[in-house]
Amino acid sequence: MIRRAGLAASGAAAAALALPSVAAAHGIVGRADLPIPGWLFGWAAAVVLVVSFVALALLWPEARLEHTRQRRVIALPAAADLVLGVAGIAIFAAGVYAGLAGTQTAAANLMPRLVFVGFWVGVPVASVVFGDVFRLLSPWRAAARAVAWAAGRLGLRGPAALPYPARLGWWPAVAGIFAFAWVELVYTGRDDPSTLAVLALAYAAIQLVGMSVYGIEAWSRNADAFGVYFSLFARLSAWVRRDGALWLRVPLSGTTSLPTPPGVVALLAVSIGSTAFDGAAEGQLWTEAGPKLQQLFVDLGFSLQAGLEIAFTIGLAGAILVIAGIYHLGVRGMHGVRPALSTRELSRQFVHTLIPIAFAYVLAHYFSFLAYEGQAFAFLISDPLGDGSNLFGTAGQTIDYSLFSATAIWYIQVIVLVTGHVSGLMLAHDRALTVYRSPREATRSQYWMLVVMVGFTSLGLWLLSVSNQ
Amino acid sequence: MNRNQRIGLALAALALVITGFLLLRPKDDGGSAPATTAATETAAPGTTAPATVPTTTAPVPPPPRVTTIAVKDGAPVGGEKTITVTSGDTVRLRVTANVADVIHVHGYDLEKPVPAGGSVTFTFKATSEGVFDVEAHSTDTKIAKLEVTP
């Protein structure tokens, strides 16, 4: 991820110029995965096809994942909100403080890894394992709730919240996630700790204003980009919190109750597309096309850095459009099976099937990143500012890059992508049984979703393989 | 399709997938291919590589190759090179620089200064697999990629 800033600039066209401003944007990571070898790529692609057709023949004839039972496991007192909320605010404050007051060397400062490793990759993984943890950890939501509680105790009453505009739907979240992906993959100052701290403060300020105008819950569930985005992954989880208790449910079943406000399809397209672009940006296609595109804008009078950012912005937007296009293709196909169902309706009815695909992309691409860079927190918590302090005696810890063999990482990537594929297929099959009247129509519609899923999974495999290098 | 047919189909698919894996998987597990480097290679000093190789040589361990990277004003001469080694091999990397610099091998976290007009040599065992950046810290420029394959 982060490390690739100088790539396009170091391509043939711009190599001689070696602009320090671009080159200096070197990342916190100096390691990349080896590409999946050709034989494993071929085998995995074959498995995807075999699994898909077997699934067509074997999948259940009645919907099973919709309206599943949940089992109450344990009471979850309100104290959990307090503890996690305080933790979230403390982590946020520590990161922002480190970013502003600490060393500006990205790798030695807590903030860049906190944002790109812990927050961006760690929270989605935690959401799948434990459920919607970010809802409780969210520093802005916790702060707003604390203020609301305090105001209530003091008997203060502000003006009533405005109704959240339904037309806006999840579009503010789409904009927020796109902005984050842009900072992560395009912006050349992405690793600068103080810039990240300022961006985090600005984001939190926008959230606080939004919550105060439209109400904490309405805003959090629609417009807080990260609250909305992380909650998608939490829907895959076996754990859900409801009525003051923790409940166990069938994994994946939470996705079937995904709300479908305006922007929901775009949000998933941005998620999958940005991860895809990150993979593609390391591949041959982009390392050849990127510098040419950059040169085009440099010739138009932009600086090398601006040209690079414009080129990467186009690449990122292009990848998102490709993903949206693949999904739309499947929807068009399903529309043909029963024209009475509009593409708009179908598009929303099946969008939850993309959640496991999106998570598979994130995990396959960033698994090693999380496993290795996550280890950095061992020394960063002792020396968050990078000033040589040793708060917990762990400042001397290092990252063990020999934890996983390259082969193990390849297998994990393949297993993750195939699992995501099968999950998406099952969800689509299940939904088709409820949307289409006859099982026959449902099956016919699913040939199209099969094409979509095979497309996404093959693309995901290809991006990680030698074919992309 | 009845239940037995379903199970049969699933088993057949599983068998197909496993057979495919066994057939496709490369055979030479643990076989160490000689270190190949895409960058300039010179025989290590001391091991005089004869121009005429004896015809009947048993596979002797190849002499450690030294990869040399010339850094001029903080940028690699001839662009970024890829050094490919097999896991477990010994990497010998020599960096020359016309201005004083600090060379950093990521992942192995080796950092050594190089004086102006001088050189520095890294010798280490490639134990972690992956692709690692080698950087010149004066300009934070990537000067080479170290590719450690299984």
Side-chain angles (χ1 to χ4, degrees), chain A residues 17 83 94 102 161 203 220 268 304 316 351 371 385 411 425 442:
Chain A
L17 300 155
V83 172
Y203 184 81
S220 295
L268 277 146
L304 270 183
L316 174 62
V351 69
L385 306 187
Y411 288 146
L425 276 183

Side-chain angles (χ1 to χ4, degrees), chain A residues 3-4 7 10 23-24 26 29-34 39-40 43 47 50 54 57-59 61 401-402 405-407 410-411, chain B residues 1 6 9-10 13 16-17 20-21 24-26 106-107 127-133 135 139-142 147-150:
Chain A
R3 56 201 291 277
R4 294 290 165 172
L7 203 82
S10 64
H26 93 102
V29 188
R31 182 200 170 280
D33 287 330
L34 285 164
W39 73 269
L40 184 57
W43 177 76
V47 168
V50 170
V54 170
L58 293 188
L59 278 177
Y401 282 104
S402 60
S405 69
T407 321
W410 292 333
Y411 288 146
Chain B
M1 226 188 320
R6 282 162 181 264
L9 179 61
L16 182 70
V17 163
F21 180 77
L24 285 166
R25 194 173 52 135
H106 275 270
T127 47
S128 304
E129 296 171 0
V131 186
F132 301 93
D133 293 348
E135 264 181 9
T139 50
D140 276 338
T141 302
K142 199 153 72 152
E147 210 174 79
V148 183
T149 61

